[in-house]
Short mmCIF file of all heavy atoms in Angstrom, two decimals:
data_model
loop_
_atom_site.label_atom_id
_atom_site.label_comp_id
_atom_site.label_asym_id
_atom_site.label_seq_id
_atom_site.Cartn_x
_atom_site.Cartn_y
_atom_site.Cartn_z
N MET A 134 13.52 -15.97 -0.97
CA MET A 134 12.69 -14.92 -0.45
C MET A 134 11.21 -15.59 -0.33
O MET A 134 10.97 -16.06 -1.36
CB MET A 134 12.71 -13.69 -1.18
CG MET A 134 11.91 -12.59 -0.52
SD MET A 134 11.95 -11.01 -1.28
CE MET A 134 13.66 -10.68 -1.43
N ARG A 135 10.59 -15.34 0.71
CA ARG A 135 9.08 -15.83 0.86
C ARG A 135 8.31 -14.66 0.40
O ARG A 135 8.43 -13.50 0.89
CB ARG A 135 8.92 -16.17 2.26
CG ARG A 135 7.52 -16.74 2.47
CD ARG A 135 7.45 -17.50 3.85
NE ARG A 135 6.15 -17.99 3.93
CZ ARG A 135 5.22 -17.70 4.78
NH1 ARG A 135 5.69 -16.96 5.83
NH2 ARG A 135 4.02 -18.24 4.90
N TYR A 136 7.17 -15.04 -0.22
CA TYR A 136 6.06 -14.05 -0.66
C TYR A 136 4.78 -14.51 -0.06
O TYR A 136 4.56 -15.66 0.02
CB TYR A 136 6.01 -13.99 -2.31
CG TYR A 136 7.26 -13.46 -2.80
CD1 TYR A 136 8.25 -14.29 -3.26
CD2 TYR A 136 7.18 -12.13 -3.13
CE1 TYR A 136 9.40 -13.74 -3.88
CE2 TYR A 136 8.40 -11.52 -3.82
CZ TYR A 136 9.46 -12.33 -4.13
OH TYR A 136 10.54 -11.82 -4.71
N LEU A 137 4.08 -13.48 0.44
CA LEU A 137 2.80 -13.82 0.97
C LEU A 137 1.69 -13.18 0.11
O LEU A 137 1.87 -12.23 -0.55
CB LEU A 137 2.62 -13.16 2.28
CG LEU A 137 3.34 -13.81 3.49
CD1 LEU A 137 4.95 -13.61 3.48
CD2 LEU A 137 2.85 -13.37 4.91
N THR A 138 0.49 -13.97 0.18
CA THR A 138 -0.61 -13.50 -0.69
C THR A 138 -1.27 -12.44 0.11
O THR A 138 -1.04 -12.22 1.40
CB THR A 138 -1.60 -14.57 -0.83
OG1 THR A 138 -2.17 -15.11 0.39
CG2 THR A 138 -0.91 -15.83 -1.58
N THR A 139 -2.29 -11.87 -0.42
CA THR A 139 -3.18 -10.83 0.31
C THR A 139 -3.93 -11.41 1.50
O THR A 139 -3.94 -10.78 2.54
CB THR A 139 -4.17 -10.15 -0.63
OG1 THR A 139 -3.44 -9.54 -1.81
CG2 THR A 139 -5.05 -9.12 0.08
N ALA A 140 -4.31 -12.65 1.24
CA ALA A 140 -5.05 -13.36 2.37
C ALA A 140 -4.05 -13.66 3.60
O ALA A 140 -4.53 -13.51 4.75
CB ALA A 140 -5.58 -14.73 1.92
N GLU A 141 -2.87 -14.04 3.30
CA GLU A 141 -1.83 -14.20 4.22
C GLU A 141 -1.45 -12.97 5.02
O GLU A 141 -1.30 -13.09 6.30
CB GLU A 141 -0.67 -14.94 3.72
CG GLU A 141 -0.92 -16.29 3.23
CD GLU A 141 0.15 -16.94 2.55
OE1 GLU A 141 0.80 -16.03 1.63
OE2 GLU A 141 0.43 -18.15 2.50
N VAL A 142 -1.54 -11.78 4.18
CA VAL A 142 -1.05 -10.60 4.99
C VAL A 142 -2.24 -10.13 5.77
O VAL A 142 -2.03 -9.74 6.99
CB VAL A 142 -0.75 -9.49 3.80
CG1 VAL A 142 -0.60 -8.14 4.51
CG2 VAL A 142 0.49 -9.90 3.10
N ALA A 143 -3.39 -10.26 5.49
CA ALA A 143 -4.65 -10.01 6.22
C ALA A 143 -4.72 -10.77 7.44
O ALA A 143 -4.93 -10.33 8.51
CB ALA A 143 -5.88 -10.26 5.44
N GLU A 144 -4.28 -12.10 7.31
CA GLU A 144 -4.20 -12.95 8.53
C GLU A 144 -3.12 -12.50 9.53
O GLU A 144 -3.47 -12.45 10.67
CB GLU A 144 -4.09 -14.39 8.13
CG GLU A 144 -4.08 -15.31 9.23
CD GLU A 144 -3.87 -16.85 8.72
OE1 GLU A 144 -4.36 -17.12 7.65
OE2 GLU A 144 -3.26 -17.64 9.56
N ARG A 145 -2.01 -12.07 8.94
CA ARG A 145 -0.88 -11.63 9.73
C ARG A 145 -1.24 -10.47 10.51
O ARG A 145 -0.90 -10.24 11.77
CB ARG A 145 0.30 -11.38 8.89
CG ARG A 145 1.45 -10.82 9.60
CD ARG A 145 2.59 -10.64 8.49
NE ARG A 145 3.73 -10.11 9.13
CZ ARG A 145 5.01 -10.66 8.92
NH1 ARG A 145 5.14 -11.59 8.07
NH2 ARG A 145 6.00 -10.14 9.43
N TYR A 146 -2.08 -9.61 9.97
CA TYR A 146 -2.48 -8.25 10.63
C TYR A 146 -3.83 -8.34 11.20
O TYR A 146 -4.36 -7.39 11.71
CB TYR A 146 -2.19 -7.07 9.69
CG TYR A 146 -0.83 -6.84 9.21
CD1 TYR A 146 -0.48 -6.76 7.90
CD2 TYR A 146 0.19 -6.69 10.21
CE1 TYR A 146 0.82 -6.52 7.52
CE2 TYR A 146 1.41 -6.51 9.72
CZ TYR A 146 1.82 -6.41 8.49
OH TYR A 146 3.11 -6.17 8.13
N ARG A 147 -4.44 -9.53 11.27
CA ARG A 147 -5.73 -9.75 11.81
C ARG A 147 -6.76 -8.76 11.25
O ARG A 147 -7.53 -8.15 12.08
CB ARG A 147 -5.69 -9.62 13.29
CG ARG A 147 -4.79 -10.76 13.91
CD ARG A 147 -4.78 -10.71 15.38
NE ARG A 147 -3.83 -11.74 15.89
CZ ARG A 147 -3.54 -11.85 17.15
NH1 ARG A 147 -4.25 -11.29 18.11
NH2 ARG A 147 -2.73 -12.81 17.45
N THR A 148 -6.90 -8.61 9.86
CA THR A 148 -7.75 -7.78 9.29
C THR A 148 -8.31 -8.44 8.06
O THR A 148 -7.98 -9.67 7.79
CB THR A 148 -7.13 -6.40 8.98
OG1 THR A 148 -8.05 -5.48 8.63
CG2 THR A 148 -6.16 -6.54 7.87
N ALA A 149 -9.22 -7.78 7.30
CA ALA A 149 -9.88 -8.44 6.17
C ALA A 149 -8.96 -8.05 4.98
O ALA A 149 -8.12 -7.28 4.82
CB ALA A 149 -11.16 -7.59 5.94
N GLU A 150 -9.09 -8.98 3.98
CA GLU A 150 -8.40 -8.85 2.73
C GLU A 150 -8.72 -7.51 2.09
O GLU A 150 -7.76 -6.83 1.51
CB GLU A 150 -8.70 -9.98 1.77
CG GLU A 150 -8.09 -11.43 2.21
CD GLU A 150 -8.54 -12.43 1.28
OE1 GLU A 150 -8.16 -12.22 -0.02
OE2 GLU A 150 -8.97 -13.38 1.59
N SER A 151 -9.93 -7.17 2.19
CA SER A 151 -10.41 -5.82 1.53
C SER A 151 -9.61 -4.62 2.31
O SER A 151 -9.36 -3.64 1.48
CB SER A 151 -11.88 -5.67 1.74
OG SER A 151 -12.18 -5.58 2.98
N THR A 152 -9.27 -4.79 3.48
CA THR A 152 -8.51 -3.76 4.16
C THR A 152 -7.16 -3.69 3.67
O THR A 152 -6.56 -2.54 3.39
CB THR A 152 -8.43 -3.98 5.73
OG1 THR A 152 -9.81 -3.98 6.17
CG2 THR A 152 -7.63 -2.98 6.47
N VAL A 153 -6.43 -4.82 3.39
CA VAL A 153 -5.12 -4.85 2.89
C VAL A 153 -5.10 -4.20 1.50
O VAL A 153 -4.27 -3.40 1.07
CB VAL A 153 -4.57 -6.35 2.86
CG1 VAL A 153 -3.21 -6.38 2.07
CG2 VAL A 153 -4.38 -6.89 4.24
N ARG A 154 -6.28 -4.60 0.56
CA ARG A 154 -6.34 -3.94 -0.66
C ARG A 154 -6.57 -2.54 -0.64
O ARG A 154 -5.94 -1.62 -1.42
CB ARG A 154 -7.43 -4.63 -1.41
CG ARG A 154 -7.08 -6.05 -1.96
CD ARG A 154 -8.10 -6.64 -2.81
NE ARG A 154 -9.43 -6.73 -2.29
CZ ARG A 154 -9.79 -7.94 -1.63
NH1 ARG A 154 -9.12 -8.81 -1.56
NH2 ARG A 154 -11.12 -7.96 -1.21
N TYR A 155 -7.28 -2.02 0.42
CA TYR A 155 -7.49 -0.56 0.63
C TYR A 155 -6.17 0.23 0.93
O TYR A 155 -5.90 1.30 0.41
CB TYR A 155 -8.50 -0.36 1.61
CG TYR A 155 -8.97 1.17 1.74
CD1 TYR A 155 -9.52 1.84 0.75
CD2 TYR A 155 -8.75 1.71 2.93
CE1 TYR A 155 -10.01 3.12 0.97
CE2 TYR A 155 -9.08 2.90 3.26
CZ TYR A 155 -9.75 3.82 2.16
OH TYR A 155 -10.06 5.02 2.44
N TRP A 156 -5.45 -0.50 1.95
CA TRP A 156 -4.10 0.13 2.20
C TRP A 156 -3.36 0.26 1.00
O TRP A 156 -2.57 1.28 0.77
CB TRP A 156 -3.41 -0.76 3.20
CG TRP A 156 -4.03 -0.83 4.59
CD1 TRP A 156 -4.95 0.01 5.15
CD2 TRP A 156 -3.65 -1.76 5.56
NE1 TRP A 156 -5.28 -0.43 6.45
CE2 TRP A 156 -4.42 -1.47 6.70
CE3 TRP A 156 -2.88 -2.96 5.70
CZ2 TRP A 156 -4.43 -2.26 7.89
CZ3 TRP A 156 -2.77 -3.65 6.72
CH2 TRP A 156 -3.55 -3.41 7.93
N ARG A 157 -3.31 -0.67 0.07
CA ARG A 157 -2.51 -0.71 -1.09
C ARG A 157 -2.95 0.52 -2.01
O ARG A 157 -2.23 1.17 -2.56
CB ARG A 157 -2.53 -2.03 -1.77
CG ARG A 157 -1.43 -2.17 -2.91
CD ARG A 157 -1.43 -3.46 -3.54
NE ARG A 157 -2.51 -3.88 -4.19
CZ ARG A 157 -3.41 -4.84 -3.80
NH1 ARG A 157 -3.20 -5.53 -2.79
NH2 ARG A 157 -4.54 -5.15 -4.65
N HIS A 158 -4.25 0.66 -2.06
CA HIS A 158 -4.87 1.67 -2.86
C HIS A 158 -4.56 3.16 -2.34
O HIS A 158 -4.07 3.98 -3.10
CB HIS A 158 -6.42 1.54 -2.80
CG HIS A 158 -7.13 2.66 -3.49
ND1 HIS A 158 -7.17 2.87 -4.90
CD2 HIS A 158 -7.85 3.71 -2.95
CE1 HIS A 158 -7.77 4.06 -5.09
NE2 HIS A 158 -8.21 4.55 -4.07
N LEU A 159 -4.33 3.17 -0.94
CA LEU A 159 -4.05 4.38 -0.45
C LEU A 159 -2.42 4.62 -0.40
O LEU A 159 -1.96 5.77 0.03
CB LEU A 159 -4.56 4.55 1.02
CG LEU A 159 -5.96 4.66 1.22
CD1 LEU A 159 -6.40 4.61 2.71
CD2 LEU A 159 -6.60 5.88 0.54
N GLN A 160 -1.80 3.65 -0.66
CA GLN A 160 -0.21 3.65 -0.56
C GLN A 160 0.23 3.77 0.93
O GLN A 160 1.08 4.45 1.07
CB GLN A 160 0.29 4.63 -1.58
CG GLN A 160 0.05 4.21 -3.02
CD GLN A 160 0.64 5.25 -4.02
OE1 GLN A 160 1.14 6.33 -3.67
NE2 GLN A 160 0.64 4.85 -5.26
N LYS A 161 -0.59 3.19 1.71
CA LYS A 161 -0.28 3.35 3.26
C LYS A 161 0.32 2.04 3.83
O LYS A 161 0.90 2.08 4.75
CB LYS A 161 -1.53 3.76 3.90
CG LYS A 161 -2.13 5.15 3.63
CD LYS A 161 -1.21 6.14 4.09
CE LYS A 161 -1.76 7.62 3.81
NZ LYS A 161 -0.85 8.67 4.27
N GLY A 162 -0.06 0.91 3.22
CA GLY A 162 0.39 -0.36 3.84
C GLY A 162 1.68 -0.84 3.15
O GLY A 162 2.33 -0.13 2.46
N PRO A 163 1.91 -2.13 3.44
CA PRO A 163 3.17 -2.63 2.79
C PRO A 163 2.95 -2.78 1.28
O PRO A 163 1.92 -2.86 0.85
CB PRO A 163 3.29 -4.09 3.38
CG PRO A 163 1.94 -4.38 3.91
CD PRO A 163 1.20 -3.06 4.28
N ARG A 164 4.07 -2.57 0.57
CA ARG A 164 4.11 -2.55 -0.82
C ARG A 164 4.15 -4.00 -1.36
O ARG A 164 4.86 -4.88 -0.85
CB ARG A 164 5.29 -1.89 -1.38
CG ARG A 164 5.29 -0.38 -1.13
CD ARG A 164 6.58 0.27 -1.63
NE ARG A 164 7.59 -0.18 -0.79
CZ ARG A 164 8.79 0.49 -0.66
NH1 ARG A 164 9.05 1.55 -1.36
NH2 ARG A 164 9.85 -0.05 0.07
N GLY A 165 3.26 -4.22 -2.33
CA GLY A 165 3.02 -5.52 -2.87
C GLY A 165 3.65 -5.40 -4.37
O GLY A 165 3.83 -4.35 -4.93
N ILE A 166 3.84 -6.52 -4.96
CA ILE A 166 4.37 -6.58 -6.39
C ILE A 166 3.25 -7.47 -7.05
O ILE A 166 2.65 -8.40 -6.68
CB ILE A 166 5.76 -7.27 -6.58
CG1 ILE A 166 5.80 -8.53 -5.98
CG2 ILE A 166 6.74 -6.32 -5.91
CD1 ILE A 166 7.12 -9.32 -6.26
N LYS A 167 2.99 -7.03 -8.42
CA LYS A 167 2.06 -7.63 -9.12
C LYS A 167 2.77 -8.84 -9.99
O LYS A 167 3.80 -8.55 -10.75
CB LYS A 167 1.35 -6.75 -10.10
CG LYS A 167 0.08 -7.28 -10.76
CD LYS A 167 -1.11 -6.41 -10.44
CE LYS A 167 -2.33 -7.15 -11.17
NZ LYS A 167 -3.43 -6.29 -11.25
N VAL A 168 2.37 -9.98 -9.93
CA VAL A 168 2.86 -11.23 -10.59
C VAL A 168 1.61 -11.73 -11.31
O VAL A 168 0.86 -12.39 -10.56
CB VAL A 168 3.38 -12.28 -9.74
CG1 VAL A 168 3.96 -13.44 -10.48
CG2 VAL A 168 4.59 -11.55 -8.97
N GLY A 169 1.49 -11.52 -12.65
CA GLY A 169 0.36 -11.86 -13.28
C GLY A 169 -0.92 -11.17 -12.75
O GLY A 169 -0.82 -9.84 -12.63
N LYS A 170 -1.84 -11.85 -12.46
CA LYS A 170 -3.07 -11.19 -11.84
C LYS A 170 -3.02 -11.06 -10.32
O LYS A 170 -3.87 -10.56 -9.71
CB LYS A 170 -4.27 -11.97 -12.26
CG LYS A 170 -4.53 -11.82 -13.69
CD LYS A 170 -5.98 -12.58 -13.98
CE LYS A 170 -6.15 -12.54 -15.46
NZ LYS A 170 -7.48 -13.17 -16.01
N ARG A 171 -1.99 -11.68 -9.68
CA ARG A 171 -1.99 -11.70 -8.21
C ARG A 171 -1.05 -10.68 -7.69
O ARG A 171 0.05 -10.26 -8.38
CB ARG A 171 -1.39 -13.03 -7.84
CG ARG A 171 -2.19 -14.26 -8.21
CD ARG A 171 -1.55 -15.50 -7.79
NE ARG A 171 -1.52 -15.66 -6.45
CZ ARG A 171 -1.04 -16.60 -5.72
NH1 ARG A 171 -0.63 -17.73 -6.46
NH2 ARG A 171 -0.93 -16.83 -4.46
N VAL A 172 -1.28 -10.10 -6.54
CA VAL A 172 -0.33 -9.31 -5.76
C VAL A 172 0.30 -10.15 -4.69
O VAL A 172 -0.47 -10.72 -3.84
CB VAL A 172 -1.07 -8.00 -5.17
CG1 VAL A 172 -0.17 -7.20 -4.34
CG2 VAL A 172 -1.72 -7.36 -6.31
N LEU A 173 1.57 -10.06 -4.52
CA LEU A 173 2.32 -10.73 -3.50
C LEU A 173 3.17 -9.79 -2.83
O LEU A 173 3.57 -8.82 -3.27
CB LEU A 173 3.26 -11.78 -4.27
CG LEU A 173 2.53 -12.95 -5.06
CD1 LEU A 173 3.56 -13.83 -5.70
CD2 LEU A 173 1.75 -13.81 -4.17
N TYR A 174 3.38 -10.14 -1.53
CA TYR A 174 4.05 -9.21 -0.67
C TYR A 174 5.36 -9.95 -0.26
O TYR A 174 5.15 -11.02 0.59
CB TYR A 174 3.21 -8.95 0.57
CG TYR A 174 1.92 -8.23 0.18
CD1 TYR A 174 0.84 -8.80 -0.14
CD2 TYR A 174 1.98 -6.70 0.25
CE1 TYR A 174 -0.31 -8.13 -0.57
CE2 TYR A 174 0.74 -6.03 -0.10
CZ TYR A 174 -0.37 -6.69 -0.45
OH TYR A 174 -1.37 -5.88 -0.74
N PRO A 175 6.49 -9.47 -0.54
CA PRO A 175 7.70 -10.01 -0.10
C PRO A 175 7.81 -9.98 1.46
O PRO A 175 7.42 -8.83 2.10
CB PRO A 175 8.79 -9.23 -0.66
CG PRO A 175 8.20 -8.49 -1.84
CD PRO A 175 6.79 -8.33 -1.39
N GLU A 176 8.04 -10.99 2.12
CA GLU A 176 8.13 -10.87 3.62
C GLU A 176 9.19 -9.89 4.13
O GLU A 176 8.88 -9.20 5.11
CB GLU A 176 8.69 -12.25 4.12
CG GLU A 176 8.31 -12.41 5.65
CD GLU A 176 8.47 -13.93 6.21
OE1 GLU A 176 9.26 -14.53 5.58
OE2 GLU A 176 7.68 -14.29 6.93
N ALA A 177 10.23 -9.51 3.43
CA ALA A 177 11.13 -8.61 3.76
C ALA A 177 10.39 -7.16 3.75
O ALA A 177 10.63 -6.24 4.52
CB ALA A 177 12.29 -8.61 2.80
N GLU A 178 9.46 -6.98 2.82
CA GLU A 178 8.78 -5.72 2.80
C GLU A 178 7.81 -5.48 4.06
O GLU A 178 7.70 -4.47 4.38
CB GLU A 178 7.90 -5.61 1.45
CG GLU A 178 6.80 -4.47 1.47
CD GLU A 178 7.47 -3.20 1.59
OE1 GLU A 178 8.67 -3.02 1.48
OE2 GLU A 178 6.72 -2.18 1.84
N LEU A 179 7.17 -6.74 4.39
CA LEU A 179 6.34 -6.64 5.54
C LEU A 179 7.14 -6.12 6.82
O LEU A 179 6.75 -5.49 7.63
CB LEU A 179 5.70 -7.90 5.83
CG LEU A 179 4.71 -8.36 4.71
CD1 LEU A 179 4.11 -9.72 5.09
CD2 LEU A 179 3.56 -7.36 4.44
N LEU A 180 8.40 -6.74 6.93
CA LEU A 180 9.25 -6.43 8.04
C LEU A 180 9.64 -4.90 8.05
O LEU A 180 9.74 -4.24 9.11
CB LEU A 180 10.31 -7.42 8.02
CG LEU A 180 10.09 -8.92 8.20
CD1 LEU A 180 11.43 -9.77 8.13
CD2 LEU A 180 9.54 -9.11 9.69
N ARG A 181 9.88 -4.55 6.73
CA ARG A 181 10.38 -2.99 6.61
C ARG A 181 9.20 -2.16 7.07
O ARG A 181 9.34 -1.12 7.73
CB ARG A 181 10.76 -2.74 5.12
CG ARG A 181 11.21 -1.29 4.90
CD ARG A 181 10.93 -0.86 3.58
NE ARG A 181 9.46 -0.89 3.12
CZ ARG A 181 8.67 0.08 3.44
NH1 ARG A 181 8.93 1.03 4.19
NH2 ARG A 181 7.36 0.02 3.00
N TYR A 182 8.02 -2.45 6.57
CA TYR A 182 6.75 -1.74 6.93
C TYR A 182 6.62 -1.71 8.41
O TYR A 182 6.22 -0.67 8.95
CB TYR A 182 5.58 -2.36 6.19
CG TYR A 182 4.28 -1.89 6.60
CD1 TYR A 182 3.89 -0.57 6.30
CD2 TYR A 182 3.39 -2.56 7.30
CE1 TYR A 182 2.63 -0.03 6.66
CE2 TYR A 182 2.10 -2.11 7.68
CZ TYR A 182 1.77 -0.77 7.36
OH TYR A 182 0.63 -0.40 7.74
N GLU A 183 6.67 -2.95 9.07
CA GLU A 183 6.43 -2.88 10.56
C GLU A 183 7.55 -2.12 11.22
O GLU A 183 7.19 -1.44 12.20
CB GLU A 183 6.50 -4.48 11.00
CG GLU A 183 5.28 -5.16 10.47
CD GLU A 183 5.42 -6.75 10.49
OE1 GLU A 183 6.43 -7.25 10.95
OE2 GLU A 183 4.49 -7.43 10.07
N ARG A 184 8.78 -2.23 10.92
CA ARG A 184 9.81 -1.43 11.47
C ARG A 184 9.56 0.04 11.25
O ARG A 184 9.69 0.86 12.23
CB ARG A 184 11.17 -1.89 10.77
CG ARG A 184 12.43 -1.04 11.35
CD ARG A 184 12.58 -1.00 12.79
NE ARG A 184 12.65 -2.38 13.44
CZ ARG A 184 12.46 -2.57 14.77
NH1 ARG A 184 12.31 -1.54 15.60
NH2 ARG A 184 12.34 -3.76 15.17
N GLY A 185 9.00 0.51 10.21
CA GLY A 185 8.66 1.88 10.01
C GLY A 185 7.62 2.34 10.88
O GLY A 185 7.60 3.34 11.51
N LEU A 186 6.62 1.42 11.17
CA LEU A 186 5.53 1.79 12.22
C LEU A 186 6.06 1.84 13.50
O LEU A 186 5.73 2.84 14.28
CB LEU A 186 4.45 0.66 12.07
CG LEU A 186 3.57 0.67 10.79
CD1 LEU A 186 2.71 -0.57 10.79
CD2 LEU A 186 2.92 1.93 10.49
N ILE A 187 6.86 0.94 13.91
CA ILE A 187 7.42 0.95 15.26
C ILE A 187 8.22 2.29 15.52
O ILE A 187 8.10 2.84 16.58
CB ILE A 187 8.24 -0.37 15.53
CG1 ILE A 187 7.29 -1.54 15.58
CG2 ILE A 187 9.14 -0.32 16.71
CD1 ILE A 187 8.05 -2.97 15.51
N ASP A 188 9.08 2.55 14.48
CA ASP A 188 9.89 3.77 14.65
C ASP A 188 9.17 5.11 14.37
O ASP A 188 9.66 6.12 14.57
CB ASP A 188 11.13 3.70 13.53
CG ASP A 188 12.06 2.56 13.83
OD1 ASP A 188 12.01 2.00 15.05
OD2 ASP A 188 12.81 2.13 12.92
N GLY A 189 7.83 4.99 14.13
CA GLY A 189 7.14 6.13 14.05
C GLY A 189 7.11 6.83 12.58
O GLY A 189 6.72 7.87 12.47
N GLY A 190 7.61 6.13 11.62
CA GLY A 190 7.68 6.67 10.31
C GLY A 190 6.51 6.62 9.51
O GLY A 190 6.41 7.04 8.31
N GLY A 191 5.41 5.95 9.97
CA GLY A 191 4.06 5.72 9.27
C GLY A 191 3.00 6.49 9.84
O GLY A 191 3.07 6.90 11.09
N ASP A 192 1.90 6.55 9.20
CA ASP A 192 0.72 7.18 9.67
C ASP A 192 0.09 6.44 10.88
O ASP A 192 -0.62 6.81 11.81
CB ASP A 192 -0.29 7.38 8.59
CG ASP A 192 0.06 8.49 7.69
OD1 ASP A 192 0.96 9.30 8.08
OD2 ASP A 192 -0.52 8.52 6.58
N TRP A 193 0.33 5.05 10.93
CA TRP A 193 -0.25 4.18 11.81
C TRP A 193 0.92 3.48 12.62
O TRP A 193 2.05 3.30 12.04
CB TRP A 193 -0.99 2.95 11.20
CG TRP A 193 -2.17 3.48 10.36
CD1 TRP A 193 -3.03 4.45 10.63
CD2 TRP A 193 -2.40 3.04 9.00
NE1 TRP A 193 -3.96 4.66 9.64
CE2 TRP A 193 -3.54 3.97 8.62
CE3 TRP A 193 -1.84 2.25 8.09
CZ2 TRP A 193 -4.24 3.62 7.37
CZ3 TRP A 193 -2.54 2.06 6.87
CH2 TRP A 193 -3.74 2.79 6.54
N GLY A 194 0.80 3.36 13.84
CA GLY A 194 1.88 2.72 14.57
C GLY A 194 1.40 2.01 15.82
O GLY A 194 0.22 1.53 15.94
N LEU A 195 2.25 2.03 16.79
CA LEU A 195 1.89 1.28 18.07
C LEU A 195 0.69 2.05 18.83
O LEU A 195 0.64 3.26 18.86
CB LEU A 195 3.08 1.33 19.00
CG LEU A 195 4.20 0.52 18.44
CD1 LEU A 195 5.47 0.56 19.44
CD2 LEU A 195 3.78 -1.04 18.19
N ALA A 196 -0.12 1.23 19.33
CA ALA A 196 -1.23 1.89 20.20
C ALA A 196 -0.72 2.35 21.48
O ALA A 196 0.34 1.75 22.02
CB ALA A 196 -2.33 0.75 20.42
N SER A 197 -1.27 3.45 22.06
CA SER A 197 -0.73 3.95 23.23
C SER A 197 -1.52 3.23 24.40
O SER A 197 -2.49 2.79 24.28
CB SER A 197 -0.88 5.42 23.36
OG SER A 197 -1.40 6.10 22.43
#
């Protein structure tokens, strides 16, 4: 399984690292796991999160 850093997730979604951290704080973005002092995001979790957005299961989704 591949894990992404906060910086890699931000790059994937074309946003700032602080935005990814804010999403985590609000519990609105993809779930990360804490490994020591780092937060890592399993790639499978990013795919699950994206699928939820596409299917309309999240607060944020496809633009109209």
Side-chain angles (χ1 to χ4, degrees):
M134 182 177 307
R135 183 169 180 237
Y136 293 87
L137 284 77
T138 65
T139 301
E141 291 169 326
V142 173
E144 184 177 329
R145 180 179 180 130
Y146 295 127
R147 298 181 183 183
T148 193
E150 289 181 51
S151 59
T152 300
V153 176
R154 288 190 294 270
Y155 184 63
W156 291 345
R157 191 173 65 248
H158 172 75
L159 293 177
Q160 297 180 347
K161 295 288 185 183
R164 294 176 292 198
I166 59 170
K167 194 131 186 193
V168 179
K170 293 182 179 184
R171 298 176 67 178
V172 176
L173 299 175
Y174 296 85
E176 193 166 38
E178 168 59 18
L179 297 177
L180 295 173
R181 182 208 60 80
Y182 171 70
E183 291 164 4
R184 177 55 47 198
L186 293 176
I187 291 168
D188 293 343
D192 290 340
W193 303 312
L195 298 176
S197 354

